[in-house]
Amino acid sequence: VLIKVKYSGINYKDALATVENSKIVSSYPMIPGIDLAGVVEHSDTHAFEKGDEVIVTGYDLGTSHFGGFSEYARVKEEWIVPLPKDLTLEEAMIYGTAGYTAGLAIEKLEHNGLSIEKKDILVRGATGGVGTLAIMMLDSIGFDVIASTGKKGAEDKLKALGAKEVISRIANSDQKALGKRTWQGVIDPVGGESLSQIVKQLDYNGMVAVIGMTAGAKFDSSVFPFILRGVSIIGIDSVYTEMRQRKHIWRRLAKDLK
Ligand SMILES: NC(=O)c1ccc[n+]([C@@H]2O[C@H](COP(=O)([O-])OP(=O)(O)OC[C@H]3O[C@@H](n4cnc5c(N)ncnc54)[C@H](OP(=O)(O)O)[C@@H]3O)[C@@H](O)[C@H]2O)c1
């Protein structure tokens, strides 16, 4: 399907794709842009026709298939999501992959029991793409959100987005097996060693949605939070989400998460 691209976004992964000898680009030349929204110009399939408004995020886009930073993009029909009602092409790419991923993380946490009746939710990397959009979405569906940031002076902005409270970045500060039960759920685009501390601070049956690694890719943990508090680590992959769930998340981004 040939798409006339109207909007794309700049994501963390686009930056990774443009560094020299990038590990995520499989061959050169490559046009970056891991997401796009546009209008079908030509279709060789019955699933789409000229004039349809569509979204594409993830898969090989911008890494091993020419991406969204282009006037036209030719992609497989299996990658395409029809633009939901109540969302414009521009809004879709204001969300972009970061917003889609925040929505997917919220959906998966809810599926595992996230509830406005329980303790607070922590959003790490709060001033980032995933973080800011996660705060706005969680606030819009009624959760109390605590935002964790390393940026001094971001408090007013984060509160204006919907955070109830703003705290500093959480460090991996002690060797204890368990910490104070603080979070029912955590949206974590940060990762790194401090993820161990986050796991120790989860409430009974608490969950952390692990999304990214801006602070590093490795962390250690004992088994104790898992066997004494029943906590879960939930992995979030926006790239290969299956199509039914992908369409569902985009519909939510046009409705209750908007
Ligand atoms: N799993 C997926 O499918 C998926 C999808 C989208 C993104 N991601 C990943 O998620 C991560 C974040 O993406 P993004 O779009 O939100 O990126 P971003 O806009 O660059 O934001 C990242 C945020 O992380 C925080 N941060 C940066 N360095 C840090 C450090 N050393 N220690 C702790 N926090 C640090 C900062 O927030 P504060 O200054 O407020 O603390 C920063 O704003 C990336 O690793 C990206 O690849 C994964």
Side-chain angles (χ1 to χ4, degrees), residues 7 9 24 28 89 92 103 107 115 120 137-138 153 159 176 191 206 233 236 247:
Y7 298 94
I24 64 165
Y28 291 95
L89 292 171
E107 167 85 10
S115 153
D120 292 333
M137 290 176 201
L138 286 164
K159 283 190 171 163
K176 291 183 191 154
I233 293 180
I236 304 299
K247 286 180 177 167

Side-chain angles (χ1 to χ4, degrees), residues 26-246:
S26 60
S27 64
Y28 291 95
M30 180 53 58
I31 299 172
I34 63 164
D35 49 32
L36 63 86
V39 181
V40 171
E41 181 75 20
H42 175 82
S43 173
D44 290 328
T45 149
H46 293 303
F48 295 97
E49 57 186 50
K50 189 173 159 67
D52 285 350
E53 294 186 306
V54 294
I55 304 167
V56 187
T57 67
Y59 299 106
D60 299 339
L61 210 62
T63 57
S64 50
H65 185 102
F66 286 174
F69 300 168
S70 181
E71 284 182 58
Y72 289 90
R74 189 182 297 277
V75 303
K76 296 176 189 173
E77 78 172 276
E78 303 86 64
W79 293 2
I80 302 175
V81 174
L83 184 76
K85 268 199 307 186
D86 304 323
L87 200 65
T88 66
L89 292 171
E90 185 180 12
E91 286 168 338
M93 284 299 109
I94 290 172
Y95 284 129
T97 296
Y100 168 75
T101 307
L104 178 63
I106 291 167
E107 167 85 10
K108 286 202 165 190
L109 291 175
E110 284 175 340
H111 186 74
N112 284 279
L114 203 72
S115 153
I116 46 176
E117 317 276 293
K118 299 186 197 161
K119 283 191 195 291
D120 292 333
I121 299 187
L122 175 68
V123 174
R124 302 180 79 203
T127 63
V130 174
T132 48
L133 289 156
I135 292 169
M136 293 167 79
M137 290 176 201
L138 286 164
D139 178 56
S140 76
I141 52 175
F143 285 98
D144 283 339
V145 182
I146 311 297
S148 151
T149 181
K151 294 196 182 71
K152 292 198 173 71
E155 182 167 348
D156 289 349
K157 237 185 206 166
L158 291 170
K159 283 190 171 163
L161 290 178
K164 186 180 84 169
E165 202 185 311
V166 178
I167 61 172
S168 323
R169 287 182 187 165
I170 290 167
N172 193 19
S173 55
D174 61 48
Q175 297 302 314
K176 291 183 191 154
L178 293 169
K180 185 173 174 227
R181 292 185 284 116
T182 313
W183 319 111
Q184 65 152 321
V186 180
I187 302 275
D188 187 16
V190 168
E193 289 302 335
S194 54
L195 182 53
S196 322
Q197 194 66 19
I198 298 296
V199 170
K200 289 188 240 175
Q201 292 179 350
L202 291 172
D203 195 10
Y204 293 119
N205 301 313
M207 304 158 273
V208 51
V210 173
I211 295 171
M213 33 102 222
T214 53
K218 288 194 175 162
F219 73 101
D220 284 323
S221 178
S222 76
V223 299
F224 292 114
F226 301 93
I227 63 173
L228 298 178
R229 291 186 179 162
V231 309
S232 309
I233 293 180
I234 297 174
I236 304 299
D237 171 30
S238 65
V239 177
Y240 292 109
T241 329
E242 58 100 21
M243 190 44 88
R244 231 166 78 118
Q245 185 164 44
R246 194 176 279 260

